[in-house]
Amino acid sequence: MRFFSLIFLVVMTLCADNVKVYLYTPEINVNNFKSLKMNFDSYLSIYGNYELQPFSDKETFEKYLKKRNSIAILSSWHYHEIAKKYNLEAMLVAKKRGSITDRKILVGQKNSVLKGIVTSAYDKEYTGELLSTITKNNSKELSVLKVPKEIDALMSVGFGMSKFALVSKDSFSLLQTINPVLAKDLKIYYESEPEYRMLLVCNEIDKEDSKLISVFKNMELSDSGKSILNSIGIDKLVVFNVENTGDLK
């Protein structure tokens, strides 16, 4: 009897639903969702029945957030939009190069008029909203061309294939380091207010799952964890402290 009970327990454990971490952010381009998921799942499975569920579109991602016990990684821009609707609370915030915030900038060749092609690695909805916000609705004569990476957007401007690039200030600083000759001919025309990098969020029920949150917080402590974080463009995830960072809601 004890033997059968043990078998039943093993079967139930194997069949148990994994806790899914949903990921969607318009600020990163994932070329291979299968590879990203496999790497995350391999790492997370060490600590429990956890797996990553990445999404390529905003609408499908939000459908899954309707379920109870949702935990997700998303941009702070998106969080602003849906936090109240899905009862989400920021638990961790991404950190890169020592900062939990970044600015978005519109960069172009010097003496350029605000019209023509803008290259952007972000999705078109996010790009459109950013352009409208930072140019104070003066972006109507700009058309968006999506490219794989922010460095591609900047190179396109540098080599005259587009008039402007919408990128993070981080990426422009990187270009100034790796190709100062190209960067010196570019000018920042518009700049956003500082905004938080991507966030790990959950609803009130999930706040009790401190183990999973700790897993993400400690990812930077191993080489494999660092590599995975790097694949989504960040160095680490740190505790989001309202007292220190301000209330996102």
Side-chain angles (χ1 to χ4, degrees):
M1 187 69 179
R2 187 175 177 182
F3 174 73
F4 287 109
S5 296
L6 182 60
I7 291 177
F8 177 77
L9 181 60
V10 170
V11 170
M12 290 301 291
T13 301
L14 292 173
C15 294
D17 289 337
N18 284 359
V19 176
K20 290 182 174 64
V21 180
Y22 305 126
L23 182 147
Y24 169 73
T25 170
E27 297 177 328
I28 61 170
N29 266 316
V30 178
N31 296 322
N32 191 331
F33 277 98
K34 184 178 179 180
S35 176
L36 178 70
K37 177 173 170 55
M38 285 178 62
N39 290 336
F40 257 100
D41 288 357
S42 176
Y43 183 88
L44 294 175
S45 65
I46 298 170
Y47 302 96
N49 294 325
Y50 307 128
E51 65 175 292
L52 184 78
Q53 179 62 64
F55 293 89
S56 59
D57 71 281
K58 183 180 175 184
E59 186 176 337
T60 307
F61 170 75
E62 289 189 18
K63 284 180 181 177
Y64 280 81
L65 292 184
K66 293 177 182 178
K67 298 179 180 180
R68 295 168 67 85
N69 299 325
S70 295
I71 186 164
I73 299 172
L74 74 171
S75 68
S76 62
W77 163 77
H78 197 181
Y79 178 83
H80 273 297
E81 282 193 342
I82 66 172
K84 291 182 179 178
K85 181 178 180 181
Y86 297 108
N87 195 30
L88 300 175
E89 182 175 346
M91 305 302 291
L92 302 177
V93 58
K95 200 169 190 177
K96 184 175 182 180
R97 294 176 186 153
S99 176
I100 59 171
T101 63
D102 188 25
R103 294 175 185 263
K104 300 299 186 289
I105 56 174
L106 187 66
V107 180
Q109 293 278 1
K110 294 174 181 177
N111 303 314
S112 294
V113 179
L114 195 62
K115 63 180 180 180
I117 295 174
V118 178
T119 41
S120 171
Y122 311 140
D123 76 15
K124 289 201 172 183
E125 180 188 0
Y126 183 49
T127 297
E129 287 199 23
L130 273 175
L131 286 173
S132 180
T133 300
I134 67 175
T135 67
K136 295 180 170 53
N137 296 316
N138 292 318
S139 60
K140 295 177 182 176
E141 294 188 69
L142 296 172
S143 57
V144 176
L145 175 64
K146 198 171 185 301
V147 293
K149 297 179 180 179
E150 291 190 20
I151 197 69
D152 298 326
L154 288 165
M155 297 295 277
S156 294
V157 178
F159 291 115
M161 291 179 283
S162 66
K163 292 292 293 292
F164 298 94
L166 185 66
V167 296
S168 67
K169 203 165 186 178
D170 277 349
S171 293
F172 188 52
S173 296
L174 178 62
L175 181 70
Q176 289 173 316
T177 300
I178 64 176
N179 196 332
V181 175
L182 185 65
K184 72 178 177 61
D185 292 326
L186 303 182
K187 172 186 172 182
I188 297 175
Y189 283 84
Y190 294 96
E191 185 169 328
S192 74
E193 293 296 320
E195 57 184 30
Y196 296 119
R197 299 184 190 275
M198 68 179 72
L199 301 161
L200 184 142
V201 305
C202 58
N203 61 27
E204 291 181 0
I205 298 170
D206 279 329
K207 282 192 291 186
E208 296 178 6
D209 197 350
S210 57
K211 179 183 175 183
L212 180 54
I213 293 168
S214 293
V215 169
F216 277 94
K217 189 173 68 172
N218 294 327
M219 283 185 81
E220 55 145 337
L221 301 179
S222 69
D223 289 339
S224 57
K226 281 182 182 178
S227 176
I228 293 168
L229 292 173
N230 184 255
S231 71
I232 57 173
I234 63 176
D235 296 332
K236 62 174 73 174
L237 285 157
V238 299
V239 173
F240 180 81
N241 188 328
V242 173
E243 292 180 1
N244 295 333
T245 58
D247 188 356
L248 278 175
K249 293 183 183 179

